[in-house]
Amino acid sequence: GHNSIAVFQVSMALPKPGLLSIAGVYHTHGATPRHFQFDTSGQWLISANQDSDRLAVFRFNWATGRLDWTGNEYSVPSPNFVCCVAPHIERRAAATPELPRATSSPPGGEASHVLGDSRPRPLMPAAARSRL
């Protein structure tokens, strides 16, 4: 196999709205990418590379469609599915009031959200939301 993820751009312009063009093809940093998933912010993509027993994390650029490998990878026996879940903000924040504010976000940014970070998050197009 190719061990890659292809990113496509969807044209909204007339006369051919919906026309696809390739934005890039990116290696998954593993063998047999069985599944991939964007996190709840749409900023991070996690690839489950089944035959290399690795999860790989990429940063997604909304403006260009570019995927940049973060260098973060995790050993997981034969991963074949990725599911990103945002924690319940109110319940989690109430349970951990003594925690300091986050100064950086892990993939997905959920921890900074839970700790009261009010930085704006990128908007996700409807097509991307429907995959979550």
Side-chain angles (χ1 to χ4, degrees):
H2 208 257
N3 296 326
S4 63
I5 294 174
V7 179
F8 293 89
Q9 180 177 15
V10 180
S11 173
M12 301 309 250
L14 295 175
K16 294 186 179 184
L19 183 68
L20 296 179
S21 60
I22 191 84
V25 177
Y26 303 95
H27 192 275
T28 61
H29 290 270
T32 316
R34 183 60 58 207
H35 189 253
F36 64 89
Q37 178 76 48
F38 283 95
D39 77 317
T40 56
S41 76
Q43 182 180 0
W44 308 97
L45 181 133
I46 298 126
S47 173
N49 298 302
Q50 186 173 18
D51 290 343
S52 57
D53 299 327
R54 300 303 243 184
L55 295 178
V57 181
F58 298 83
R59 181 184 308 270
F60 181 66
N61 183 315
W62 279 97
T64 64
R66 181 178 174 86
L67 284 175
D68 291 309
W69 187 50
T70 63
N72 295 321
E73 56 182 15
Y74 303 92
S75 179
V76 176
S78 193
N80 57 36
F81 186 76
V82 177
C83 181
C84 296
V85 178
H88 190 278
I89 295 170
E90 293 83 23
R91 188 176 300 157
R92 183 87 181 265
T96 57
E98 70 283 351
L99 292 176
R101 289 180 68 119
T103 56
S104 63
S105 299
E110 290 88 358
S112 61
H113 237 5
V114 170
L115 299 176
D117 188 348
S118 61
R119 290 180 290 174
R121 299 287 183 226
L123 297 177
M124 184 179 302
R129 280 194 308 267
S130 68
R131 293 189 306 259
L132 297 177

